[in-house]
Amino acid sequence: MNLIRVEGDFDAFAAFVSDGIALLNPEGIVAGWSPAAARITGLDRVDAMGRSLDELFARVDPPLGFALVPQPLLIFTRDENRRALHASALTIDGGWLLSFGQQQRYEAIEQLKSEIVAAVSHELKTPIATIKAFATTMRANAEATAADHDEYLATIEEQADHLGNVVENLLLAGRVDPEHLLTGRTSVSLDAILDDVAERLGPTKAARVERNANAISISCDPHLLAGAIAQLVENGLKYSPESATVVVNAEQDSEGTTIRVADRGIGIGNDHLPYIFDRFYRVESNLVSVTGGAGLGLYVARSIARAHGGTIDVESRLHEGTTMTLRLPVRA
Ligand code: ADP
């Protein structure tokens, strides 16, 4: 492409492209600045024309170099928000064509990232604070009886398990391909899996779970499957009144096994149902909420079901309750 021609056609060309476009001459001076570039950078055309990037921005990372294919750049604005703009640069006749990406997309990602960090830190901080508080109480309270100590230790254990689950969910959520979740299958009774689930929940929560699963045997990764069921039960309890129970039913036929986890809790509105299995999706708009949670549980549970060739579906009515149905096919 000839630079002169590009300069001549720049305005028509730039108006045609939705990303912000800038043209720099071989000296690195702005020779073209599209309306979208002005919008994204916050710098008007008249201010940008005839200036170098160093004059316009706080930092360009990496500095412009020869680029036969578009090179990604991060450009930091000089305004008080110090925004990081994503751009790419391509060498044209010794000069450069710069393209600034659609900012909203990056802002949405940045926003999501900070919400995730906030939610995850909150999930980690609460149990750590509880563990610390109970350990300190144990040390400080000289009059505590052996029974008191047992109670403190039970809470510490419960919170440590919760921490373990949060970290495990984060690790599982990071494994993109569900196929890789499954390390091996064994044939186990659903009862044994539900015992494991009860252990993960701890005695207080396990007491609120009704089990109806008779003599069912499943070929699965028992550790993963217990994790998925525990997640569904945990949600059923979390999104229900304190005293409410959650019912786990299971049945098996020639096609496979169906496990239903039903609660009579707050339910999920129709507008949220399509998204609840998405990574980091939470119904409460504020991620750091009273109920806690990073929006990973259902994503991980569904990944585990899929890793077994199965599915999880939801049926829910607002203020009435939710039933999660986990189906595992007979192994081909
Ligand atoms: P979280 O960590 O927020 O619980 P999940 O992925 O487990 O994340 O669930 C996603 C969202 O789906 C939750 O924020 C909650 O609003 C909703 N949800 C999940 N299970 C239930 C349930 N049994 N009853 C009501 N709402 C639920």
Side-chain angles (χ1 to χ4, degrees), residues 195-269:
D195 286 344
D196 184 359
V197 170
E199 204 162 300
R200 288 169 191 236
L201 295 172
T204 324
K205 288 183 187 167
R208 292 170 56 199
V209 181
E210 264 177 53
R211 291 162 51 161
N212 304 310
N214 306 319
I216 287 177
S217 159
I218 317 181
S219 156
C220 64
D221 179 324
H223 179 76
L224 283 182
L225 188 60
I229 298 174
Q231 185 61 53
L232 301 181
V233 173
E234 186 86 63
N235 281 354
L237 294 170
K238 187 161 83 172
Y239 298 108
S240 298
E242 280 288 321
S243 56
T245 53
V246 165
V247 182
V248 181
N249 274 310
E251 59 200 49
Q252 200 164 39
D253 59 21
S254 58
E255 310 251 293
T257 309
T258 304
I259 299 162
R260 287 196 176 80
V261 179
D263 67 62
R264 290 156 158 271
I266 61 173
I268 304 165

Side-chain angles (χ1 to χ4, degrees), residues 12 23 27 36 43 63 70 94 100-101 114 120 166 182 207 228 241 243 251 265 270 276 284 290-292 305 330:
L23 185 67
E27 284 72 48
L43 296 167
F100 296 96
S114 45
V120 169
V166 172
L182 206 65
S243 56
E251 59 200 49
N270 280 339
I276 56 167
E284 278 177 81
V290 268
T291 50
V330 170

Side-chain angles (χ1 to χ4, degrees), residues 63-85:
L64 285 184
F66 178 76
L68 207 55
V69 291
Q71 294 282 300
L73 300 176
L74 263 185
I75 297 183
F76 296 87
T77 61
R78 281 193 187 280
D79 55 33
E80 68 272 23
N81 299 327
R82 279 291 158 119
R83 287 174 305 137
L85 306 174

Side-chain angles (χ1 to χ4, degrees), residues 10 23 112 202 204 274 288 331:
F10 182 81
L23 185 67
L112 183 64
T204 324
V288 180
R331 239 185 128 194

